Amino acid sequence: MRIAHASRSLISAAAHRVVFPTFPLSLAPNLNFALAFAMASEKLSTLANNNEDDEKYGFQRSEMYTETLAGTVGAYGRHVFLCYKSPEAWPARVEGSESDLLPKLLSSAIKARKDGIPLKTNLTLCEGREGTDFSDGDVLIFPEMIKYRDLKDSEVDSFVEDVLVNGKPWASGVGEVLTGSHVFVCSHGSRDRRCGVCGPVLIEKFKEEIDSRGLKDQVFVSPCSHIGGHKYAGNVIIYSPGPDGKIMGHWYGYVTPDDVPALIDQHIEKGEIIEHLWRGQMGAADKEGGKADKQNLPNGDVKKSKKKPEEISTQSDKDNVAGCCQGANGFNCCRDGSLEQNSGSEENKAGHEKKGLGKLSCWIGSWEQSDVLTAVAVVGAVATVAVAYSFYRRSG
């Protein structure tokens, strides 16, 4: 009876992932083996599911590295992050959720005053945890590198008016200066599963690399909500000082855990861009800027000509005034276009006088020597016949 009861407990343990203490072999000889087998089966199942997720939604998915990333960031001049709960609690459209009033109010206020806000402003959520540097209701503003604490629902309108519209300190709060580099990783799984799979793995890798380098007080990493471009997951934004001390916001896509050390060592530490992962950057464009111009860096690579190679070649030939053919043995049968243009007036004066002769010269010049001799012989024969006929008429 005891063994049967323990077996039922084993099934319940496997279903609910509860680990029971091992039983003495004297009481249940095969129980430890059964429990170990169940746990191993569960681990194998979890591993298989993780591999499937990685192939469909993670770093092994087929769409990785299939598109050019540069130019996939819309122009903007300011980024506001609202610290609010955790990614697991964010609905797909958190800015429109009736149960999450603060994000909805802030998003609506920014949209309502967009004509009065001098800079195109992005709003994104980041994780807020009580007892940390970033708690629920805290607001981070880049590139100003300012944090305001504990924004309340009733204070949203005054915050937007004072800080974002008028560019003044918030009357109801004290701004704190942010230091160091701030990394945001899209982990909004309810919005897109790719971000939900890739984001947490990247955050753990960032924390591991930051700890190993002793940079906990200099580099800060947080999960964030949807930033656009789910298909480019993992998506990472880094706000850090550039070589001149100016705060820059660089976006990266297709980031994998293997890329994290380079992002820290090259981008954050040395200010070097990882080009093959780079999507674009925060620019000082106003609200009318719209999408970044893809013809110019830094928010896009140089746009290639849409003309086909043969069309470009044909156009080049038309534009080349001195274009010419190449004669036999390297002899160029054409004159330079500028010389032709300068001598045009002189040629026109004698043009009518030499027109017929020129045509005859070109006509004769095109014959081979044997053709000329044959023609002379024919003309001579015709002349002989004509003379003989003339004498014949006279004698008759």
Side-chain angles (χ1 to χ4, degrees):
M1 293 295 292
R2 280 180 145 185
I3 295 178
H5 178 71
S7 299
R8 289 197 299 272
S9 299
L10 173 64
I11 297 173
S12 176
H16 295 90
R17 300 185 181 182
V18 177
V19 179
F20 284 88
T22 58
F23 289 81
L25 290 177
S26 59
L27 296 178
N30 297 319
L31 189 57
N32 285 332
F33 173 78
L35 181 60
F37 180 80
M39 293 176 63
S41 298
E42 183 180 355
K43 288 183 178 180
L44 288 174
S45 177
T46 301
L47 182 61
N49 290 335
N50 289 341
N51 289 337
E52 183 179 358
D53 282 350
D54 196 34
E55 291 178 0
K56 288 184 178 180
Y57 310 106
F59 305 110
Q60 301 299 322
R61 64 187 191 277
S62 59
E63 68 183 0
M64 290 285 284
Y65 314 112
T66 58
E67 295 189 25
T68 301
L69 293 173
T72 60
V73 177
Y76 72 105
R78 178 189 285 135
H79 207 154
V80 175
F81 287 87
L82 173 64
C83 301
Y84 187 79
K85 298 184 178 179
S86 64
E88 295 79 16
W90 297 337
R93 304 284 175 177
V94 64
E95 67 281 356
S97 173
E98 295 295 337
S99 60
D100 299 281
L101 195 56
L102 183 58
K104 181 179 180 180
L105 289 174
L106 184 55
S107 175
S108 298
I110 291 175
K111 289 179 181 177
R113 296 306 313 274
K114 65 179 181 179
D115 291 335
I117 299 176
L119 293 174
K120 175 70 168 58
T121 301
N122 288 353
L123 173 63
T124 304
L125 299 189
C126 66
E127 186 176 41
R129 291 189 180 275
E130 297 300 328
T132 67
D133 289 333
F134 303 142
S135 302
D136 273 5
D138 290 354
V139 181
L140 318 177
I141 307 175
F142 300 93
E144 291 85 351
M145 293 285 283
I146 294 176
K147 176 176 71 174
Y148 286 100
R149 288 189 177 274
D150 200 21
L151 177 67
K152 298 289 193 298
D153 297 352
S154 59
E155 301 168 332
V156 168
D157 288 336
S158 66
F159 172 81
V160 172
E161 185 71 21
D162 290 347
V163 179
L164 303 184
V165 175
N166 297 320
K168 300 186 301 184
W170 185 26
S172 301
V174 177
E176 303 176 18
V177 177
L178 295 171
T179 60
S181 299
H182 295 264
V183 180
F184 297 93
V185 182
C186 184
S187 307
H188 201 165
S190 63
R191 185 71 174 265
D192 190 276
R193 193 167 177 182
R194 288 166 290 191
C195 297
V197 171
C198 296
V201 177
L202 289 176
I203 290 171
E204 288 303 314
K205 183 62 174 178
F206 266 108
K207 289 180 178 179
E208 176 186 324
E209 297 295 329
I210 290 169
D211 288 345
S212 67
R213 289 165 172 75
L215 299 174
K216 289 186 65 175
D217 297 329
Q218 302 175 46
V219 182
F220 308 90
V221 59
S222 301
C224 71
S225 64
H226 171 66
I227 58 174
H230 299 302
K231 59 186 176 181
Y232 307 130
N235 284 300
V236 175
I237 307 176
I238 301 176
Y239 286 100
S240 60
D244 58 355
K246 181 181 177 181
I247 300 300
M248 307 296 291
H250 289 274
W251 297 46
Y252 288 101
Y254 294 144
V255 178
T256 70
D258 291 338
D259 299 314
V260 170
L263 288 174
I264 296 175
D265 296 337
Q266 291 178 233
H267 182 104
I268 295 176
E269 292 291 310
K270 299 180 182 179
E272 299 174 357
I273 302 299
I274 314 299
E275 294 185 4
H276 70 285
L277 302 174
W278 189 75
R279 291 184 57 187
Q281 71 180 67
M282 176 176 61
D286 60 22
K287 61 179 180 295
E288 301 296 331
K291 291 290 184 181
D293 183 0
K294 291 187 179 181
Q295 295 194 44
N296 300 297
L297 291 173
N299 271 15
D301 54 357
V302 178
K303 187 177 182 180
K304 296 181 180 179
S305 173
K306 294 183 179 179
K307 293 181 179 180
K308 297 179 180 179
E310 59 266 26
E311 292 175 344
I312 298 174
S313 177
T314 302
Q315 184 64 35
S316 177
D317 292 341
K318 289 180 180 179
D319 294 340
N320 185 5
V321 177
C324 195
C325 61
Q326 184 71 28
N329 300 322
F331 176 73
N332 195 329
C333 65
C334 300
R335 294 170 294 175
D336 185 79
S338 61
L339 295 178
E340 290 180 353
Q341 190 173 15
N342 292 337
S343 60
S345 58
E346 296 179 2
E347 291 178 356
N348 288 337
K349 293 180 182 179
H352 294 291
E353 298 175 3
K354 299 181 179 179
K355 185 175 181 180
L357 183 59
K359 286 185 177 180
L360 180 61
S361 299
C362 290
W363 178 48
I364 295 177
S366 63
W367 289 2
E368 296 290 343
Q369 185 176 3
S370 58
D371 295 333
V372 174
L373 294 176
T374 301
V376 170
V378 171
V379 172
V382 172
T384 302
V385 171
V387 171
Y389 182 73
S390 177
F391 279 113
Y392 170 76
R393 291 289 302 272
R394 290 179 183 177
S395 61

